[in-house]
Amino acid sequence: MTGTPRGPLPQWNPIGDYGSGIYEAADPHGTVWQLWRVEQPAAGDPLPPGYRLAPLDNPVDPAFVTAENGLYFALDTAGMHIAADDVRADPEGAARQMGLDGWERP
């Protein structure tokens, strides 16, 4: 599923339970993305500890999302990454989804 009735950001679904730390969402083109947290990167891993994002069918080269601000910030940031064109087309909807009441488009 891409977007929700409230706006353009994807709906993240936990894999397993909320404690698993792994989430999946589809982008507007149907690609399923996975977001997960790495607390202690393996030796030689070029990315720091934090949340990573990659297409489910190609998790080999993930993008670094964030190491700070918690899960909801990571979900919103990753959602904006995978639905960037839809967010640009409906910034008010994205702001509403993130709870930024009173936000006005410049």
Side-chain angles (χ1 to χ4, degrees), residues 20-89:
S20 74
I22 302 171
Y23 297 84
E24 290 181 357
D27 70 16
H29 306 289
T31 300
V32 176
W33 292 78
Q34 193 168 73
L35 177 73
W36 70 97
R37 181 168 175 75
V38 174
E39 292 187 22
Q40 196 71 344
D45 188 336
L47 298 176
Y51 288 94
R52 298 169 185 213
L53 177 70
L56 184 61
D57 65 353
N58 188 16
V60 178
D61 189 22
F64 178 73
V65 176
T66 184
E68 301 178 24
N69 301 315
L71 173 62
Y72 294 115
F73 180 80
L75 292 170
D76 287 342
T77 303
M80 284 193 244
H81 175 81
I82 67 174
D85 290 337
D86 287 350
V87 169
R88 280 190 285 277

